[in-house]
Amino acid sequence: MTSLEDRLESIFSARDRENMQPTIDAFLEVLAEHPDHPEVLYQVGGAYDTDGQESVAEGYYQRAMEAGLDGESLRKCYLQYGSTLRNLGELERSTEMFLRDASVSRPRSRWECSSC
């Protein structure tokens, strides 16, 4: 793990779901140092989401994906963003996110062509 990854993990591990403001503040501090880093943007969005601030989280999730979020974090972002959109009453956009997640996380059948 890089020092940034360690720092993000440390903040995430110390979070208190009943009082997310210290976590939000810590992630915002990291974001000030790494304003376009997709993982940092995703973590800020997740902290706001956990705090019930879905409309704030939405922008960070979008920015994280636009900045190139990938791998397991992208899959999690699709799920969390889809849930956030559902909570905001954006059912069509929510469904789109859940379908994106399904297309990313669906394991290939051994009968599918891997080069198709």
Side-chain angles (χ1 to χ4, degrees):
M1 259 195 249
T2 68
S3 61
L4 177 58
E5 290 171 332
D6 290 338
R7 191 169 170 199
L8 293 174
E9 180 60 34
S10 176
I11 295 167
F12 184 83
S13 296
R15 80 189 184 288
D16 175 0
R17 291 179 171 271
E18 300 300 316
N19 179 19
M20 287 298 294
Q21 196 58 54
T23 300
I24 291 169
D25 292 342
F27 280 136
L28 287 174
E29 185 178 307
V30 177
L31 183 62
E33 299 166 20
H34 305 276
D36 297 317
H37 195 286
E39 186 68 29
V40 176
L41 290 162
Y42 165 66
Q43 292 297 338
V44 173
Y48 276 114
D49 201 359
T50 300
D51 195 46
Q53 298 184 56
E54 287 93 348
S55 59
V56 177
E58 178 181 13
Y60 286 104
Y61 288 150
Q62 287 176 343
R63 286 177 57 198
M65 290 184 290
E66 290 167 3
L69 190 66
D70 61 6
E72 183 66 13
S73 292
L74 178 60
R75 189 191 70 73
K76 289 178 182 179
C77 186
Y78 286 154
L79 284 173
Q80 288 172 229
Y81 188 30
S83 177
T84 293
L85 291 169
R86 184 191 65 228
N87 290 340
L88 293 172
E90 298 279 345
L91 301 182
E92 212 169 288
R93 289 176 61 209
S94 173
T95 300
E96 179 185 321
M97 284 301 117
F98 290 134
L99 290 174
R100 282 187 189 181
D101 173 59
S103 70
V104 169
S105 61
R106 182 181 65 88
R108 284 190 166 268
S109 161
R110 68 183 178 145
W111 305 110
E112 288 182 278
C113 175
S114 62
S115 61
C116 299

